């Protein structure tokens, strides 16, 4: 799923989830490793406050990834998503140490820092490129951009439980209208996040496609649609909706969209490179996290 | 979803579903149109037996598409699937006149032969390229190839209702094992066929991907997986299965695979070009056939 | 599904959806019919304002069903739900004239007022009894009751898209915990309402059971559970939830429940009788509203 | 879910899965326990052949449950299903020791024989009553009965993958027609068996209802329907089906039903009593077997 590569990472930026005490343990261990490997370290300001070392150079969150070879994020998928968005601006790749629950995006287990992550830092890694969604709200008021999304853009009603009415267009071709709880547009990366709970399919990350997934639609024959990655998706809210609708990118801040408003979603030109350990296996990650059936023994029993 | 083109079709091969009387009506109308437009016609042998015209040149089914510019198939998706497989060998494109039920693949309604199909014949059309699956059974006995599949390859138990046990590998990476009723591997074309009844996602035809869909799996966290088009999918049957399993390509002839057998499925190098009328809209076709919500009026009511 | 009965309805209360002009047409037609049949009429106050007749006796909404034999509701399922809750207090049955969209609860089509509804008024009808849910919020603050619900009680996050964490207990036995968008508890009546969009099963109205349906759960092996009608369902919100959760009965007013709060849901002792026309067929209603397959002809084709 | 009881079981019949070596271990342990508790034992003939004790009285399978107080089945759900069908004829209750995979029906883990099962034998138990389905094939040929089913009756095509066309009636009211892979009719007991893999809801065993679940229906708005326990379900196969269809009760022997044939399914008058250990908890069983979310700690984390 990824290209092999062998460039050694010298300058490393670190960011950690600051309200999880376990993240601090991995942070200290990571700094030890980097010092031992004689790498140059810069630590995100808030992250730096977790540790006593006043000598450690710091960097503002907004400049995470600037002038470094790699960003290492310690935490859950949320920590990784936020870091990736900033790092992408500087073209810097990202790798994650898992201190969250499932951790689809954070490959390195805390116990593997000194082995697997050390190997990565020495050039033993794979690269996977991931796309962002960009979202534009083109209603009567001046058009407004939202944050980029690595996982998904979610449209939901302003008041729950409540129903939204909207039309979907792809490349200016009308697809269908829905009376539904909302709509998810997800990248392949996001197909194993919120969209998965909603019954969406799993898309391997190298597939150039997006998933359109209505939520609790009144149209019982509604199904998830996988559209080409270059698609321009347009959602037109019915003027009949009683309240403003809510738009949220990667579960972040909510933007209100008035009845009759139009939302345009497409892949962003900018991408982010995810660094994986050499033996990374997407399907093994899936299987582990979703508790799928293991390999069978010669007797046909799960190992 | 398709490339525009303007080459006029001069030499036309025709094939029709021979056990549907409605197909004969469209056949006669089509021949009238082709004569009027002064096109050269060749008629598949069994199809020719539907009509009285003894002068009409005929062609064996196995040579459908040889030395012609276009194959026109009259019938349902089954008629289209079979014609496409033969025509693909000669690199000849195919278009369908719908005399079946849903007709996802047959664009032209019988009532539009003289208008829409006439325009197509004069160069007013779009081209969509579709892929086939090739399947190899690599068990202890000498390896055996199956028919190519435009829609899907379906693995099912030899005796129903019965359970199969098997492992799935993609590009030699183990994905998961299943105790299930079976497995569907579908192309984007097939995503609106059998796989759709089984809860699979809809894949736009230009997406380079395949769907792997377990049927009635005991693993309740199982979900459809969309893998890259270049994936080599391998299914290894557990030696524990009590009976031979059945493999079927596009719902055609059944091939038995013994317990412990291995099935390899990947995209075929050969493709087929589907000819669509100029105003063809994939999403409109979906919406019509799946009875999805129509466009809303300014009042927010469905039109 | 219902008991036959032959008591003639003499005193009728009427309520109509007041912001739909079509409802007014049916209202006038209904009053004509009732006058012709020499029935005593009382009209809900706001409904009365739709028509010019100043002689018509009126009744406050809160007393709808008091001292009458039957309440007739004109509108959609929402109109019917609200009327049923009030009428149940007086033990008065309800019938609906459909001026909404699907109208699972409103049996009489506007065109059938003079025939089907006239027959009902003369004693040609069936009776179906439906149950309500009662909901109690038993948190730290003094316990609070919610409105009764005929369809469902829905728990949702205070902010969307956001996740809730909660435990489910039935009869004080722990069932499972969820990290999910929310939870639906539905009656058989509600199984064809919101719960149906969420993937819930359809429960015939005479079944004494409730449906527990997690919404977008992170537990991919989660399934709808149908529990006995006498079950006491308890939901305990995790103290970890970041915000208050929202509870809504039949899509009505929202009640906030704090993190750590407890919600108790069970069937109410009070029921409501729905009056159906003599030839009422629950399955025909389902089939029509869900566009299911029609009866086959001797040739096996849908009629 | 069950009634408490305190009658001591004196005379015990034993049956074990004969092709699983682990079953034999539990069998020996069980006989030891019964001897120690001075109970009278009778062993099913084939089961008896697993052990050396020639003194042990034996009983033919067909008389399992005759003249005894309890049947103990050692194996998986299949062993339990078969034993229950025979024991029901003698009104004898059944309990299971789990030597299968999931074991929804076999409550006792092998490690709990000397504790939990001993307590049961001494009168510490709960009783749960389960219903059977009876199935009648009423086609042109003389009407034919099938085996009773504790889990489900499954209709499937004679050839796979293939499609069936049929109509469903409940209490002689037409419900809908389907073009589908087949149909499952399940009891609440069967709702956690095959029907669960097919997307059916889970029904608590005391609910008096049946589930009708179309398999892979072309009708995308199709949903599982839960009908009253007293329902008479009739399936009429379309005369258009190309081959005989297959009917199977609890996954047992297949009965062929010709095109145009009629199948009648309803609850049997005879029931079977399942014996559960005193602390049996249906929801705990579900949660364990389906890997649902555990109870939360005061911190909101799963225990």
């Amino acid at each position: 799923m990824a290209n092999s590569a062998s460039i050694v990472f010298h300058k490393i930026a670190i960011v950690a989830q600051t309200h999880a005490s376990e993240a601090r343990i991995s942070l200290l261990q990571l700094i030890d490793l980097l010092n031992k490997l004689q790498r140059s370290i810069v630590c995100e300001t808030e992250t730096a406050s977790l540790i006593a070392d006043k000598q450690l150079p710091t960097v503002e969150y907004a400049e995470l990834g600037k002038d470094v070879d790699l960003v290492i994020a310690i935490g859950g998928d949320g920590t990784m998503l936020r870091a990736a968005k900033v790092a992408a601006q500087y073209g810097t790749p990202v790798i994650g140490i898992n201190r969250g629950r499932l951790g689809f995006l954070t490959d390195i287990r805390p116990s593997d820092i000194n082995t697997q992550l050390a190997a990565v830092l020495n050039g033993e890694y794979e690269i996977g490129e991931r796309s962002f969604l960009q979202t534009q709200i083109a209603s009567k008021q001046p058009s407004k951009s939202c944050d980029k999304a690595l996982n998904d853009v979610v449209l939901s009603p302003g008041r729950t439980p409540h129903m939204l009415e909207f039309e979907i267009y792809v490349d200016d071709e009308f697809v269908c209208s829905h009376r539904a709880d909302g709509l998810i547009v997800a990248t392949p990366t996001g197909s194993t996040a919120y969209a998965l709970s909603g019954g969406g399919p799993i898309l391997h990350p190298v597939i150039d496609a997006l998933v359109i997934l209505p939520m609790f639609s009144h149209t019982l024959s509604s199904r998830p649609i996988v559209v080409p990655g270059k698609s321009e998706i347009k959602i037109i809210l019915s003027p009949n909706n009683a309240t403003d609708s809510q738009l949220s990118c990667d579960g972040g801040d909510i933007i209100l969209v008035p009845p009759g408003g139009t939302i345009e979603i497409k892949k962003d030109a900018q991408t982010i490179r995810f660094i994986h350990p050499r033996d990374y296996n997407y399907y093994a990650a899936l299987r582990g996290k979703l508790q799928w059936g293991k390999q069978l023994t010669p007797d046909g029993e799960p190992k």
Side-chain angles (χ1 to χ4, degrees), chain A:
Chain A
M1 67 148 297
N3 304 312
S4 280
S6 61
I7 296 163
V8 173
F9 297 116
H10 291 288
K11 299 160 85 177
I12 314 289
I14 310 176
V15 63
Q17 193 179 357
T18 49
H19 53 277
S21 57
E22 298 91 346
R24 189 176 171 273
I25 299 170
S26 294
L27 175 62
L28 293 172
Q29 196 185 347
L30 173 62
I31 291 174
D32 273 357
L33 173 68
L34 292 172
N35 282 332
K36 211 175 60 186
L37 295 177
Q38 295 184 295
R39 305 303 155 95
S40 144
I41 308 176
V42 59
C43 196
E44 183 270 333
T45 314
E46 277 202 49
T47 304
S49 72
L50 292 180
I51 50 176
D53 184 351
K54 301 297 174 200
Q55 310 303 321
L56 208 62
T58 60
V59 62
E60 290 301 309
Y61 202 102
E63 300 204 329
L64 196 66
K66 189 179 176 187
D67 297 333
V68 296
D69 300 325
L70 178 69
V71 171
I72 301 179
I74 304 169
D77 284 354
T79 308
M80 188 76 174
L81 286 171
R82 281 187 296 276
K85 266 178 244 187
V86 181
Q89 297 175 311
Y90 304 100
T92 304
V94 182
I95 192 168
I97 297 170
N98 185 21
R99 279 302 191 176
R101 276 173 209 263
L102 273 183
F104 266 107
L105 304 181
T106 49
D107 293 350
I108 308 288
R109 281 176 303 184
S111 57
D112 294 337
I113 290 178
N114 285 326
T115 50
Q116 222 175 20
L117 186 58
V120 164
L121 291 165
N122 287 328
E124 297 290 317
Y125 57 87
E126 316 272 330
I127 301 175
E129 197 169 17
R130 306 287 182 115
S131 293
F132 292 98
L133 294 172
Q134 59 160 264
T135 305
Q136 201 80 12
I137 299 176
S139 304
K140 288 169 194 163
Q141 85 269 40
S143 159
K144 181 173 177 181
S145 280
C146 307
D147 250 14
K148 286 186 294 185
L150 191 52
N151 271 343
D152 46 40
V153 176
V154 178
L155 177 72
S156 54
R159 223 161 51 84
T160 58
H162 219 259
M163 198 199 56
L164 282 181
E165 201 165 47
F166 54 87
E167 295 176 329
I168 303 173
Y169 292 78
V170 173
D171 297 334
D172 287 321
E173 289 186 353
F174 173 62
V175 178
C176 58
S177 64
H178 278 288
R179 311 181 78 232
D181 267 19
L183 185 80
I184 303 172
V185 176
T187 62
T189 303
S191 73
T192 51
Y194 187 47
L196 190 60
S197 310
I202 294 169
L203 265 70
H204 190 285
V206 309
I207 293 175
D208 186 22
L210 304 173
V211 186
I212 302 176
L213 184 69
M215 299 160 74
F216 280 34
S217 176
H218 285 213
T219 305
L220 295 188
S221 62
S222 171
R223 291 293 180 276
I225 315 177
V226 183
V227 298
K230 63 173 182 37
S231 302
E232 303 199 5
I233 299 167
K234 194 162 65 181
I235 305 161
I236 303 185
L237 294 168
S238 164
N240 273 3
N241 292 325
T243 62
D244 284 0
S245 299
Q246 298 185 342
L247 199 74
S248 162
C249 295
D250 283 347
D253 289 345
I254 280 166
I255 296 170
L256 296 179
V257 190
T262 295
I263 300 152
E264 292 169 358
I265 302 169
K266 62 177 177 185
K267 253 179 49 181
D268 199 77
Q270 215 171 56
T271 60
I272 177 79
R273 281 172 296 147
F274 275 13
I275 300 299
H276 303 291
R278 182 55 56 87
D279 60 349
Y280 175 73
N281 178 333
Y282 175 72
Y283 299 110
L286 269 188
R287 182 175 63 251
K289 291 174 200 307
L290 303 181
Q291 300 185 289
W292 284 354
K294 293 181 183 165
Q295 218 154 352
L296 304 175
T297 63
D299 300 334
E301 292 303 313
K303 272 182 190 164

